Coordinates of all heavy atoms in Angstrom, one line a residue:
C1633 N 4.0 -3.8 -39.5 CA 5.2 -3.1 -38.9 C 5.9 -2.2 -39.7 O 6.3 -1.1 -39.4 CB 6.1 -4.2 -38.2 SG 5.3 -5.0 -36.8
G1634 N 6.3 -2.6 -40.9 CA 7.2 -1.9 -41.8 C 6.5 -0.7 -42.4 O 7.2 0.1 -43.0
F1635 N 5.2 -0.6 -42.4 CA 4.4 0.5 -43.0 C 4.7 1.7 -42.2 O 4.4 2.9 -42.6 CB 3.0 0.2 -43.0 CG 2.6 -0.8 -44.1 CD1 3.2 -2.0 -44.2 CD2 1.5 -0.6 -45.0 CE1 2.9 -3.0 -45.1 CE2 1.2 -1.5 -45.9 CZ 1.8 -2.7 -46.0
R1636 N 5.0 1.6 -40.8 CA 5.3 2.7 -39.9 C 4.1 3.7 -39.8 O 4.1 4.8 -40.2 CB 6.5 3.5 -40.3 CG 7.8 2.6 -40.5 CD 8.0 1.7 -39.4 NE 8.2 2.3 -38.1 CZ 7.6 1.8 -36.9 NH1 6.8 0.8 -37.0 NH2 7.9 2.4 -35.8
V1637 N 3.0 3.2 -39.4 CA 1.7 3.9 -39.3 C 1.3 3.9 -37.7 O 0.9 2.9 -37.2 CB 0.6 3.3 -40.1 CG1 -0.6 4.2 -40.0 CG2 1.1 3.2 -41.6
G1638 N 1.4 5.0 -37.1 CA 1.0 5.2 -35.7 C 0.3 6.5 -35.5 O 0.3 7.4 -36.4
W1639 N -0.2 6.7 -34.3 CA -0.9 8.0 -34.0 C -0.9 8.2 -32.5 O -0.7 7.3 -31.7 CB -2.3 8.0 -34.6 CG -3.2 6.9 -34.1 CD1 -3.9 6.9 -32.8 CD2 -3.6 5.7 -34.8 NE1 -4.7 5.7 -32.8 CE2 -4.4 5.0 -34.0 CE3 -3.2 5.2 -36.0 CZ2 -5.1 3.7 -34.3 CZ3 -3.8 4.0 -36.3 CH2 -4.6 3.3 -35.6
M1640 N -1.1 9.4 -32.1 CA -1.4 9.8 -30.7 C -2.7 10.7 -30.7 O -2.9 11.5 -31.5 CB -0.2 10.3 -29.9 CG 0.2 11.7 -30.4 SD 1.6 12.3 -29.4 CE 1.9 13.9 -30.2
I1641 N -3.4 10.5 -29.6 CA -4.6 11.3 -29.3 C -4.5 12.0 -28.0 O -4.2 11.5 -26.9 CB -5.8 10.3 -29.3 CG1 -5.9 9.5 -30.5 CG2 -7.1 11.1 -28.9 CD1 -6.9 8.3 -30.4
L1642 N -4.7 13.3 -28.0 CA -4.7 14.2 -26.9 C -6.1 14.3 -26.5 O -7.1 14.5 -27.2 CB -4.1 15.6 -27.2 CG -2.8 15.6 -28.0 CD1 -2.3 17.0 -28.1 CD2 -1.8 14.8 -27.3
S1643 N -6.3 14.1 -25.1 CA -7.8 14.2 -24.6 C -7.8 14.7 -23.2 O -6.8 14.8 -22.5 CB -8.4 12.8 -24.7 OG -7.8 11.9 -23.9
G1644 N -9.0 15.0 -22.7 CA -9.2 15.3 -21.3 C -9.1 16.8 -21.2 O -9.5 17.6 -22.0
N1645 N -8.4 17.2 -20.0 CA -8.2 18.6 -19.6 C -7.2 19.3 -20.4 O -6.0 19.4 -19.9 CB -8.0 18.7 -18.1 CG -8.1 20.1 -17.6 OD1 -8.2 21.1 -18.4 ND2 -8.0 20.2 -16.3
K1646 N -7.4 19.8 -21.6 CA -6.4 20.4 -22.4 C -6.1 21.8 -21.9 O -5.1 22.3 -22.3 CB -6.9 20.4 -23.8 CG -7.1 19.1 -24.4 CD -7.9 19.1 -25.7 CE -8.8 17.9 -25.9 NZ -9.8 18.0 -26.9
E1647 N -7.0 22.4 -21.1 CA -6.7 23.7 -20.6 C -5.3 23.9 -19.8 O -4.7 24.9 -19.9 CB -7.9 24.2 -19.8 CG -7.9 25.7 -19.4 CD -8.1 26.6 -20.6 OE1 -8.7 26.2 -21.5 OE2 -7.5 27.7 -20.5
I1648 N -5.1 22.8 -19.1 CA -3.9 22.8 -18.2 C -2.6 22.6 -19.0 O -1.5 22.5 -18.5 CB -4.0 21.9 -17.0 CG1 -4.1 20.4 -17.6 CG2 -5.2 22.2 -16.1 CD1 -4.1 19.4 -16.5
A1649 N -2.8 22.1 -20.2 CA -1.6 21.6 -21.1 C -1.4 22.5 -22.3 O -0.8 22.0 -23.3 CB -1.9 20.2 -21.4
K1650 N -1.8 23.7 -22.3 CA -1.7 24.6 -23.5 C -0.2 24.7 -23.9 O 0.1 24.6 -25.1 CB -2.3 25.9 -23.3 CG -3.8 26.0 -23.3 CD -4.4 27.3 -23.1 CE -6.0 27.3 -23.2 NZ -6.5 28.7 -23.1
D1651 N 0.7 25.0 -23.0 CA 2.1 25.2 -23.3 C 2.7 23.9 -23.9 O 3.4 23.9 -24.8 CB 2.9 25.7 -22.1 CG 2.6 27.1 -21.8 OD1 2.0 27.8 -22.6 OD2 2.9 27.6 -20.7
Y1652 N 2.3 22.8 -23.2 CA 2.8 21.5 -23.7 C 2.3 21.1 -25.1 O 3.1 20.7 -26.0 CB 2.3 20.4 -22.7 CG 2.6 19.0 -23.1 CD1 3.9 18.7 -23.6 CD2 1.7 17.9 -23.0 CE1 4.2 17.4 -23.9 CE2 2.0 16.7 -23.3 CZ 3.3 16.3 -23.8 OH 3.6 15.1 -24.1
M1653 N 1.0 21.4 -25.4 CA 0.5 21.2 -26.7 C 1.1 22.0 -27.7 O 1.4 21.6 -28.8 CB -1.0 21.4 -26.7 CG -1.7 20.3 -25.8 SD -3.5 20.8 -25.5 CE -4.2 20.5 -27.1
A1654 N 1.5 23.3 -27.3 CA 2.2 24.1 -28.3 C 3.6 23.5 -28.6 O 4.1 23.6 -29.7 CB 2.4 25.5 -27.6
G1655 N 4.2 23.0 -27.6 CA 5.5 22.3 -27.8 C 5.3 21.1 -28.8 O 6.2 20.9 -29.6
I1656 N 4.3 20.3 -28.6 CA 4.1 19.2 -29.5 C 3.8 19.6 -30.9 O 4.3 19.1 -31.9 CB 2.8 18.4 -29.0 CG1 3.2 17.6 -27.7 CG2 2.3 17.4 -30.1 CD1 2.0 16.9 -27.1
D1657 N 3.1 20.7 -31.1 CA 2.8 21.3 -32.3 C 4.2 21.7 -33.0 O 4.4 21.5 -34.2 CB 1.9 22.6 -32.2 CG 0.5 22.2 -32.6 OD1 0.2 21.2 -33.1 OD2 -0.3 23.1 -32.2
M1658 N 5.0 22.4 -32.3 CA 6.3 22.8 -32.8 C 7.2 21.7 -33.2 O 7.7 21.7 -34.4 CB 7.1 23.6 -31.7 CG 8.4 24.1 -32.2 SD 9.3 25.1 -30.9 CE 9.8 23.7 -29.8
L1659 N 7.3 20.7 -32.4 CA 8.1 19.5 -32.8 C 7.4 18.7 -33.9 O 8.2 18.2 -34.9 CB 8.2 18.6 -31.6 CG 9.1 19.1 -30.5 CD1 9.1 18.1 -29.3 CD2 10.5 19.4 -31.0
S1660 N 6.1 18.7 -34.0 CA 5.4 18.0 -35.1 C 5.8 18.7 -36.4 O 6.0 18.1 -37.5 CB 3.9 17.9 -34.9 OG 3.3 17.3 -35.9
N1661 N 5.7 20.1 -36.4 CA 6.0 20.8 -37.6 C 7.4 20.7 -38.0 O 7.7 20.7 -39.2 CB 5.6 22.4 -37.3 CG 4.1 22.5 -37.5 OD1 3.5 22.3 -38.5 ND2 3.6 23.2 -36.5
M1662 N 8.3 20.6 -37.0 CA 9.7 20.4 -37.4 C 10.0 19.2 -38.1 O 10.9 19.2 -39.0 CB 10.6 20.5 -36.1 CG 10.7 21.8 -35.5 SD 11.5 21.8 -33.8 CE 13.1 21.2 -34.3
R1663 N 9.3 18.1 -37.9 CA 9.6 16.8 -38.7 C 8.7 16.8 -39.9 O 8.6 15.8 -40.6 CB 9.4 15.6 -37.8 CG 8.0 15.5 -37.0 CD 7.2 14.5 -37.6 NE 5.8 14.9 -37.5 CZ 4.8 14.0 -37.2 NH1 5.1 12.7 -37.2 NH2 3.6 14.4 -37.2
L1664 N 7.9 17.9 -40.2 CA 7.1 18.1 -41.4 C 5.9 17.2 -41.3 O 4.8 17.9 -41.2 CB 7.9 17.8 -42.7 CG 9.1 18.9 -42.9 CD1 9.9 18.5 -44.2 CD2 8.6 20.2 -42.9
C1665 N 5.9 16.0 -41.5 CA 4.8 15.1 -41.4 C 5.3 13.6 -41.4 O 6.4 13.3 -41.6 CB 3.9 15.3 -42.6 SG 4.5 14.7 -44.2
S1666 N 4.3 12.7 -41.1 CA 4.6 11.3 -41.2 C 4.4 10.8 -42.6 O 3.9 11.5 -43.5 CB 3.8 10.5 -40.2 OG 2.4 10.5 -40.5
N1667 N 4.8 9.6 -42.8 CA 4.7 8.9 -44.1 C 3.3 9.0 -44.7 O 2.4 8.5 -44.2 CB 5.1 7.5 -43.9 CG 4.8 6.5 -45.1 OD1 4.7 7.1 -46.2 ND2 4.8 5.3 -44.8
V1668 N 3.1 9.8 -45.8 CA 1.9 10.1 -46.3 C 1.2 8.8 -47.0 O 0.0 8.6 -46.7 CB 1.9 11.3 -47.3 CG1 0.5 11.5 -47.9 CG2 2.4 12.5 -46.6
P1669 N 1.9 8.0 -47.8 CA 1.3 6.8 -48.2 C 0.8 5.9 -47.1 O -0.2 5.2 -47.2 CB 2.4 6.1 -49.0 CG 3.3 7.2 -49.5 CD 3.2 8.2 -48.3
G1670 N 1.6 5.8 -46.0 CA 1.1 5.1 -44.8 C -0.2 5.6 -44.2 O -1.1 4.9 -43.8

Side-chain angles (χ1 to χ4, degrees):
C1633 289
F1635 289 47
R1636 308 312 298 137
V1637 182
W1639 59 81
M1640 69 178 177
I1641 302 169
L1642 312 183
S1643 67
N1645 188 352
K1646 297 165 212 169
E1647 190 65 28
I1648 64 172
K1650 285 184 176 180
D1651 287 347
Y1652 175 45
M1653 293 168 69
I1656 287 175
D1657 263 344
M1658 180 183 69
L1659 292 175
S1660 178
N1661 281 307
M1662 285 172 64
R1663 54 105 209 215
L1664 297 179
C1665 68
S1666 67
N1667 169 18
V1668 180

